[in-house]
Amino acid sequence: MMDNENKDKRIPLLIADHLIYEYEGGADRVRALDDVSFKIEKGEFIGLIGHTGSGKSTLAEHLNALLTPKSGTIYFNGESIFEKKYDRKRYRGHVGLVFQYPEHQLFADTVFEDVCYGPLNNGVSRKQAELTAYETIKKVGLSDECFYQSPFDLSGGQKRRAAIAGVLAMKPELLVLDEPTAGLDPAGREELLHMISGLKDEKSMSIVLISHSMEDVARYADRIMVMDKGKKVFDAEPIEVFSHAKELEEMGLAVPAVTSVMLKLKEKGFDVNTGILNVKDAADEIMRVLGDKA
Amino acid sequence: MIRDITLGKYYNADSPVHRLDPRTKLIITFAYLISLFIYKSPAVYICAFIFLLSATLVSKVPFKYILKGLKPVWFILIFTSLMNLFFTGGEPVFSWWRINISREGIERTGLMLSRFMLMIFGSNLMTLTTTPTRLTSALESLMKPLKVIHFPVHEIAMMMSIALRFIPILVDETNKIMKAQLSRGADFESGNIFRKVKSLVPVLVPLFISAFRRAGDLAMAMEARCYHGGEGRTQMNPLRYARRDGAAFAVFIFYIITIVFWGSLIPRITG
């Protein structure tokens, strides 16, 4: 992490190069990743969307070097991470992965201890680890009382925050979150997503947010990648991706409700701009079109 | 990481062996295992092998799956056969430096190896063709007479089926937690034994917690459906012997007669 400054600015943070991964499911082989390539630039916020079984979680585990592809590789800062000599343990400190239901991995006596676990594994001194832990717990929005509580006494939403803090404390350059809002109530979802997008602005961290909800991703992502049956189908800005509403529906994915309304209006002959992602803009746009007619 | 546990792994296919009553399979497997320990003559093992081979062919289970059962024990197998081979006294057939291999050693190794392999393959064939649920209901039905002495047959069968049901779930869970801790920089491989044991704490604690959580959920779900033990409980698919079970027993009795013939009559005539 020290040599961030003198790294070549033109090299993307991470390049996935023709990843192919297969696993044995029953009697035959299933291709979970089928020739997937993409780039992630520094500070980018990417939404990774796909139906259950589309290969998005498998991809996440590749990004964290937990699975090794059958062919293809990932370059991190220009170096292939599946090279024999590459230090993958260290690499996992640079790319944090928040699993689905991350609260199931909490184990220590106190929240504070649990958050210290990652940095300590990275070989950081005890003092430095505690400092980082303190900072991160604050950042994920847990109150002071939580610090020395057992993680198992927290509420569901707090547990999730504590677990995310455990990954953030390793100060990753790229953070991959696998369905971080699953099982949270709408308010909790909103807060968590807001917190995550705040991380990007503050620390220029690159973020990959995996979800099957377009609504969640549409608001925050700079770019959306859509996976279907192990293949990367779309990789573009949200507005561009949502213009393919029909194809997305065929994959079992829904475009955000607002976009869907605008597309339907257009179909009915109203001359509206369909590249709209939030309710307020949509209302303005509809008023504009109706105003023209009146 | 923990993978490939063949224990209780059912191979789904539609074959006469799959359709047999689980009690039939359980009794035959049990008797088959005993039959392997009665005689020492190689002819008997050839019979046992032919019997197993034909059962496997009928069952449509690929040999690959049956061979997988050797995975957890191959080390012990090799180790004991080497011990038997080198340290059985007797008339040496081959000696080099301090190593003596005797005729008795070779015989004993061959005997032990074939016994073990046939045992493992035989019991594997049963678990591959019978779902754990059917197996436990077979056990329950076979142990029913023990109810007379107030042995909690139903409860034990229920516990067994729940335990079997949870093995794959807990294996998955362990893999997931290990991966999660690996991504937080955990290291399960390096260091001495104490460090390794200590490094497992972050896996075991969440694993236990999830096991307790699942147990609690399951208990609640069972109570919500008014489960109150075995009293007056009937089964949706009660076990019934069919004609094919009779056929299976007939084949098995033929096998027993054959090995008794080869095992005790032939040596008497020739010897």
Side-chain angles (χ1 to χ4, degrees), chain A residues 24 26-27 61 64 66-67 89 92-93 95-100 104-108 113-119 121-122 152 163 166-167 170, chain B residues 1 3 11 64-65 68 173 175-188 190 195 199 201-207 209-210 213-214:
Chain A
E24 257 173 79
E61 289 184 16
N64 204 235
L66 289 169
L67 290 175
K89 192 181 162 212
R92 288 183 190 125
V95 176
L97 171 56
V98 178
F99 276 79
Q100 268 174 47
H104 292 175
Q105 76 203 27
L106 295 167
F107 69 96
E113 266 312 304
D114 205 284
V115 177
C116 284
Y117 178 69
N121 279 334
N122 264 2
F152 307 111
V167 176
M170 301 175 75
Chain B
M1 273 182 237
R3 258 184 236 137
Y11 180 83
K64 197 177 80 182
Y65 278 80
K68 260 191 193 163
E173 188 96 10
N175 276 333
K176 228 192 306 177
I177 296 170
M178 278 178 105
K179 275 185 180 168
Q181 306 300 24
L182 269 177
S183 81
R184 290 169 76 191
D187 187 351
F188 302 117
S190 61
R195 270 193 72 112
S199 76
V201 171
V203 176
L204 291 179
V205 173
L207 188 64
I209 287 167
S210 95
R213 190 183 54 232
R214 282 178 199 284

Side-chain angles (χ1 to χ4, degrees), chain A residues 110 112-117 119-120 123-133 148:
Chain A
T110 63
F112 191 63
E113 266 312 304
D114 205 284
V115 177
C116 284
Y117 178 69
L120 285 177
V124 173
S125 74
R126 178 89 217 171
K127 199 162 176 199
Q128 188 59 46
E130 286 183 357
L131 265 169
T132 330
Y148 294 105

Side-chain angles (χ1 to χ4, degrees), chain B residues 49-69:
Chain B
F49 179 72
I50 292 171
F51 174 70
L52 189 63
L53 191 70
S54 29
T56 311
L57 285 176
V58 174
S59 76
K60 292 183 191 164
V61 177
F63 286 100
K64 197 177 80 182
Y65 278 80
I66 301 211
L67 287 174
K68 260 191 193 163

